[in-house]
Amino acid sequence: MNHWLLKSEPDVFSIDDLKKQKTTLWDGVRNYQARNFLRAMQVGDLAFFYHSSTEPPGIVGLCQVLETHIADPSQFDPRSPYHDPRSSKDNPRWWTVRVGFVEKFERMITLGVLRAKFSPDELLLLRRGNRLSVMPVAAEVAERIIAMKGCR
DNA sequence: GCCAACGTTGGC
DNA sequence: GCCAACGTTGGC
């Protein structure tokens, strides 16, 4: 099983929204590196849910990959902000997954705490200038993060 | 709101 | 294929 980290602005879609909806299609990713990670996901993989552009930002919970290799429907929708005229149904450019809610952590693990506990080499999120919205998390690092939930 | 860092676009 | 210009992300 692989571990991942998914960024979302809570104003747009939050862990509470996912909890309410139970599952969601992780659509709208329009970055090739992020797309490649989405394509590498397997059913059962766990993903940390990260709130970005908040004060503070941080990991707020866990979700799980339920379904993989879904052609992102928003690329075909001319009214969607994610519409991509270069995509066709025969030859989709953007792929995604469906994720399900697993848990919301009692306390957010803030970016500051993550910086204190991990090095940028261990955790891609901490790399300078990192803007990826989908990224892998090494198994050992993921275990340590999970062990931190609920800790002060 | 600012701005550094990065990705993408498009002219050449 | 290069690279300047532009748009976006996201922490602060």
Side-chain angles (χ1 to χ4, degrees):
Chain A
M1 181 180 65
N2 293 307
H3 294 80
W4 309 91
L5 184 143
L6 298 171
K7 282 186 194 171
S8 182
E9 297 188 25
D11 289 349
V12 179
F13 190 79
S14 71
I15 187 80
D16 292 319
D17 294 325
L18 181 59
K19 186 175 184 178
K20 233 174 290 172
Q21 290 181 209
K22 307 276 199 295
T23 84
T24 192
L25 197 60
W26 205 264
D27 61 354
V29 174
R30 293 295 180 269
N31 169 283
Y32 286 104
Q33 212 181 338
R35 179 205 65 181
N36 293 343
F37 289 135
L38 284 167
R39 282 205 295 212
M41 288 184 183
Q42 294 174 291
V43 172
D45 285 356
L46 287 176
F48 295 104
F49 198 114
Y50 179 90
H51 280 179
S52 64
S53 293
T54 51
E55 180 47 45
I59 293 173
V60 289
L62 264 177
C63 52
Q64 185 164 36
V65 177
L66 300 180
E67 197 185 337
T68 59
H69 301 102
I70 303 168
D72 183 340
S74 65
Q75 68 192 308
F76 308 123
D77 179 0
R79 285 173 311 252
S80 167
Y82 304 118
H83 177 236
D84 189 339
R86 300 164 301 182
S87 286
S88 66
K89 299 226 173 178
D90 294 342
N91 192 16
R93 184 173 296 230
W94 304 107
W95 295 86
T96 190
V97 298
R98 176 165 293 279
V99 298
F101 177 81
V102 173
E103 69 170 308
K104 179 183 177 179
F105 295 164
E106 272 183 61
R107 261 180 298 277
M108 170 192 273
I109 302 172
T110 65
L111 180 58
V113 167
L114 291 168
R115 281 196 205 287
K117 302 278 183 189
F118 300 97
S119 74
D121 283 343
E122 289 175 305
L123 188 54
L124 213 54
L125 177 75
L126 305 179
R127 298 241 179 109
R128 178 184 145 93
N130 169 68
R131 296 188 328 187
L132 268 182
S133 63
V134 179
M135 69 194 87
V137 178
E140 322 84 71
V141 174
E143 275 174 37
R144 284 165 63 197
I145 294 173
I146 291 169
M148 285 162 61
K149 70 176 180 172
C151 296
R152 289 197 182 272

